[in-house]
Amino acid sequence: MRKSHPRGAISALSFFAFIAASALSASAHDGHVHKSPTAPAEKDATSTTSRTREPSLAEVHQATERFRDVNVALAEGYLRDSGDVCDTAEMMGKPAELGAMGIHFFRPDLLGITAPPNSRIDGNGTHTDFWEPAILIYEPQADGSLELVAVENLVFRKSWHAAGNSTLPTFHGVAYDTMADDPTTAVDEAHMFEPHYDRHVWIYRENPNGVFAPFNPNVTCKHHRGGSHQHANR
């Protein structure tokens, strides 16, 4: 049987509890610093005018460069996945050769995360601005550090269309990927999230699958020492 996100293993409730405890200082994450940290840059190096247009990939890179130091991300409100899971294609029912994503760090405010009693993580945000991505993705390294490999934006399907959007969000003319769990399978294709649209942008690790593909065969979770997926039992 494939390894997967077991239903309930990473509960939405525990995620919300984690958000409530977000006042924990970045020092609580010692041992997870990028192996070559740089001094934090100014948070917003872009002008209001520039942010009214879609950024180039080079501009996304420039706007997120400071997050190579994961402690900068933590200081600016990004929260590590409460399940501390390093996501791979196989965990989501895809061919293992597609590769992995990595460990996700979220900005709950940009995702518009809403409170329980949702059984899955849900939100009402419609943030698609890649000048300030809502999600950062890191690859665990052999020395325990984290290396930034990609950025991502995510909007929940129900909220996106409730806001009056009739089509999928796009970035550089490419529609976001659709993620929704199929209850008939042994894996959780939406990894405990409500149905949503997302777009990965691989600007820190070359991706043979394409810069906008969900998974990257050049990313590995083999050095991950945190949470793990168990075999799904339905």
Side-chain angles (χ1 to χ4, degrees), residues 123-147:
N124 54 26
T126 56
H127 180 86
T128 57
D129 184 0
F130 273 98
W131 290 104
E132 188 176 28
I135 302 171
L136 306 172
I137 305 176
Y138 293 84
E139 178 192 59
Q141 304 298 297
D143 63 1
S145 65
L146 295 175
E147 183 170 325

Side-chain angles (χ1 to χ4, degrees), residues 48-125:
T48 302
T49 300
S50 69
R51 291 190 61 163
T52 62
R53 62 174 175 79
E54 186 175 75
S56 67
L57 296 184
E59 287 171 326
V60 176
H61 193 289
Q62 180 182 17
T64 58
E65 177 78 20
R66 66 190 184 281
F67 298 131
R68 286 181 179 271
D69 181 348
V70 71
N71 283 330
V72 173
L74 292 167
E76 293 191 20
Y78 289 89
L79 304 179
R80 186 172 181 145
D81 167 24
S82 60
D84 193 19
V85 172
C86 187
D87 289 296
T88 69
E90 189 176 17
M91 289 174 181
M92 297 185 195
K94 304 293 185 181
E97 56 268 24
L98 289 177
M101 290 180 182
I103 300 173
H104 292 70
F105 283 65
F106 306 90
R107 275 275 302 273
D109 57 325
L110 296 182
L111 293 175
I113 298 297
T114 53
N118 303 311
S119 60
R120 288 176 168 271
I121 298 166
D122 199 1
N124 54 26

Side-chain angles (χ1 to χ4, degrees), residues 1-228:
M1 182 183 294
R2 289 185 302 235
K3 286 187 176 180
S4 66
H5 289 272
R7 297 186 183 279
I10 308 173
S11 71
L13 189 60
S14 68
F15 185 86
F16 296 121
F18 182 67
I19 292 173
S22 63
L24 290 174
S25 68
S27 62
H29 298 267
D30 287 347
H32 297 287
V33 182
H34 185 270
K35 54 188 174 185
S36 299
T38 57
E42 290 296 323
K43 182 176 180 179
D44 190 357
T46 60
S47 68
T48 302
T49 300
S50 69
R51 291 190 61 163
T52 62
R53 62 174 175 79
E54 186 175 75
S56 67
L57 296 184
E59 287 171 326
V60 176
H61 193 289
Q62 180 182 17
T64 58
E65 177 78 20
R66 66 190 184 281
F67 298 131
R68 286 181 179 271
D69 181 348
V70 71
N71 283 330
V72 173
L74 292 167
E76 293 191 20
Y78 289 89
L79 304 179
R80 186 172 181 145
D81 167 24
S82 60
D84 193 19
V85 172
C86 187
D87 289 296
T88 69
E90 189 176 17
M91 289 174 181
M92 297 185 195
K94 304 293 185 181
E97 56 268 24
L98 289 177
M101 290 180 182
I103 300 173
H104 292 70
F105 283 65
F106 306 90
R107 275 275 302 273
D109 57 325
L110 296 182
L111 293 175
I113 298 297
T114 53
N118 303 311
S119 60
R120 288 176 168 271
I121 298 166
D122 199 1
N124 54 26
T126 56
H127 180 86
T128 57
D129 184 0
F130 273 98
W131 290 104
E132 188 176 28
I135 302 171
L136 306 172
I137 305 176
Y138 293 84
E139 178 192 59
Q141 304 298 297
D143 63 1
S145 65
L146 295 175
E147 183 170 325
L148 183 64
V149 291
V151 299
E152 178 184 359
N153 272 323
L154 179 155
V155 295
F156 291 90
R157 185 170 66 190
K158 182 178 179 180
S159 296
W160 177 254
H161 293 298
N165 298 295
S166 59
T167 59
L168 272 62
T170 64
F171 182 59
H172 283 226
V174 180
Y176 280 34
D177 294 319
T178 299
M179 300 287 289
D181 180 50
D182 180 352
T184 67
T185 66
V187 296
D188 188 340
E189 293 87 353
H191 48 93
M192 287 310 299
F193 276 65
E194 287 289 347
H196 60 274
Y197 306 124
D198 63 29
R199 169 56 60 230
H200 296 77
V201 184
W202 296 93
I203 51 175
Y204 291 98
R205 181 68 59 81
E206 184 178 356
N207 188 352
N209 295 337
V211 69
F212 299 140
F215 305 102
N216 189 338
N218 287 337
V219 171
T220 178
C221 290
K222 69 180 180 181
H223 300 302
H224 185 46
R225 298 293 182 267
S228 63

